[in-house]
Amino acid sequence: MSFERYDELAALVPAEIVTHSYVQDITLPQDAGVLALITLDNDLDHTRPTTLGPNTLIEFGRTLEGLKERAARGEISAVAVTGKPYFLVAGADLSTVKSVRSEHLGRLMAELGHEAYDLLADLGVPSFAFINGVALGGGLEIALAANYRTVSTGANGIGLPEAFIGLVPGWGGVYRLPRLIGPANAVKVMVENPLSNNRSLDGTSAYGLGIADALFEPADFIEQSLLWAARVLTGGEADAVGQRRAELARYDDAAWTGAVAAGRAFVEAKTSNAAPAPARVLDLLEAGRTWSRKESAAAECTALAELMQTREFHATVYAFLDLVQKRGKRPAGAPDRKLARPVSKVGVVGAGLMASQLALLFARQLKVPVVMTDIDQARVDKGVAYVHAEIEKMLGRKRLSQDAANRTKALVTGSVSKDVFADADFVIEAVFEELSVKKQVFAEVEAVVSPECILATNTSSLSVAEMAADLVHPERVVGFHFFNPVAAMPLLEVVRAPKTDDAVLATAFVLAKGLKKNAVLVQDAPAFVVNRILGRMFGEITAVFDEGTDAGTADGALRPMGLPMTPFRLLALVGLPVGQHVQESLHAAFGDRFHVSANQQKLIDAGVKGLWEKQEDGSETVPSATLDLMERGSSPSTAEEVLRRTQDALTDEIGRMLDEGVVAAPEDIDLCMIMGAGWPMHLGGITPYLDRVGASERVLGKTFHQA
């Protein structure tokens, strides 16, 4: 077998950072023979993940060809693959993949992966993968191609995220995974996790699903994996592995059919089938039930070649690679991180749900003492109890060790006196969204903290400058706006008021990184970015409903956008009173552009939680009693009219925000909406979407981006 036919692919990326295949012979104990250990390493430190491009795969394939010849000569009894510290492989190099501009080259890229990985599966001697760290996409597919797998308890970022980026697991994953862990679990890994904020597995979870055959601690992971491989080769583990796999992967035709059906329902709920890749994954899974590995490989190659040329894939690459991976990690306008102050203790004003989530996040990620305060001991105790209960849940799911759980619990305390903030370096308030209340809180906190202590507000819409106006040191105040649920939502809007100084701002950005959040610099304007855009969208949808458009048409008109939730359902989730409060704030700031629904207020007054009510058959309807509460017009709109009206309204608002300098560029609007509102990756950001549908030309006479 030769890899010369892939030379034209390799020529596409002469500057590829190659992940090399370094081979070391290791004599195993128990007379198990010699194992050739391949270490995948790009010769860079842990900040530069190993990835898979054409040159990498060609070298990997040729290395395996040589090892297959050695196995045939009896020189080695096994082959294993592992990675440099913290990584097996982080997947395909997206910068390379997006440069593949023809189906012919796309098919070659797909076939190259199959040719290399099939060698690992059929070496003539047993093959092993030692998953020591991140194993995503093609990285996990390397492990799946091996005959046996171990995984480290310290490994994170394990999964097949291709559906998230507009592709399919096209190097054998869609064939091998369901046969290893069953179709239902395979749907979870290949569809549900990618479409749920690109969730991945840790080592313990991967072992629990059956992706790996053995689980070891990171301190001596390679040594234990080699000893385990020796036991497999000498017969001491092989039967146990086979029995465990059989128990975990029990499935029949009904299980296969049910898993695919559940996957399709999930995709419909998450994306309204607006993106092609998730459905294509399920198509391959369903048809592959009766296929051979060779037949599945041919179909996977076709799917990859076609999907690489789609608008949705290239939009996703822009959103994920250019925005989330690059701009999100180097926020525009952030001061030099060297100006940041150390933070060794955090204070949280409030002990409600949001405040408790913040306390847990700071304690878990920063590992510093966190103290919460509230107006009475009962509230304080409830907040601390919430944090402890969440830590217990993590312990139960084996996401924390007992020692880590005990340490994290000990970091979070509570008090009814703000005097406990005297030695805090950073205090964040998460109290009721009322300016006078927040001003009073800041005045009380400033009276007890040091002059260097930073005061942060988690406000979602109020003026940070007004909040700080009466303080002795207004320059110490910064907006630090999280999204709910705090643990899951990756965006943090860092709000700079006119007097916020650079050291405070730098500290906020360093903290955001420590909290594993994507921070975007936002100027102090009502509702900042995400809530302002969502407020304009909610206003248009509630307005057309009030005008007489039926609920189904109004709520379903934005389906072509593939949003994760319809407007009325999202409003019910947020809470009608909260939504109304934000809308009233925006109306006060910007006028009639932001519709405030009198009908929504009537529902609030009547204690109605949302417009839709689920029926016994699973359908949803607006109860007649709810409709009777409202007064509506007689000028209904079609779904097409509602969609166009909303597109134009969003374009108008974003254009105004950019003119006002709320953020530095359209890319920051896109990043905020992707990370804070679940804007679909396949649309490539809200501003490119509005360009494509013609809304920016209609409203602004120009596009947000060059074509």
Side-chain angles (χ1 to χ4, degrees), residues 357-433:
Q357 291 183 74
L358 295 179
L360 175 60
L361 179 73
F362 279 98
R364 274 205 74 201
Q365 301 298 345
L366 302 183
K367 297 177 174 54
V368 299
V370 179
V371 58
M372 292 191 288
T373 65
D374 215 313
I375 58 175
D376 59 51
Q377 193 64 46
R379 286 181 171 87
V380 170
D381 291 344
K382 184 177 180 181
V384 173
Y386 170 87
V387 173
H388 287 194
E390 290 299 302
I391 293 170
E392 283 296 322
K393 289 178 187 175
M394 294 176 199
L395 178 63
R397 295 175 190 141
K398 298 184 178 179
R399 291 175 58 194
L400 283 177
S401 67
Q402 185 67 63
D403 284 348
N406 292 341
R407 286 195 301 271
T408 307
K409 283 183 182 180
L411 289 172
V412 180
T413 57
S415 174
V416 293
S417 171
K418 293 184 177 64
D419 291 344
V420 292
F421 298 147
D423 58 343
D425 305 300
F426 186 92
V427 177
I428 184 168
E429 67 78 20
V431 300
F432 184 67
E433 196 77 347

Side-chain angles (χ1 to χ4, degrees), residues 620-644:
E620 291 184 314
T621 187
V622 181
S624 57
T626 299
L627 290 172
D628 289 343
L629 292 169
M630 299 181 286
E631 296 178 16
R632 300 170 61 231
S634 56
S635 302
S637 300
T638 65
E640 293 75 16
E641 290 168 339
V642 175
L643 177 61
R644 184 182 176 101

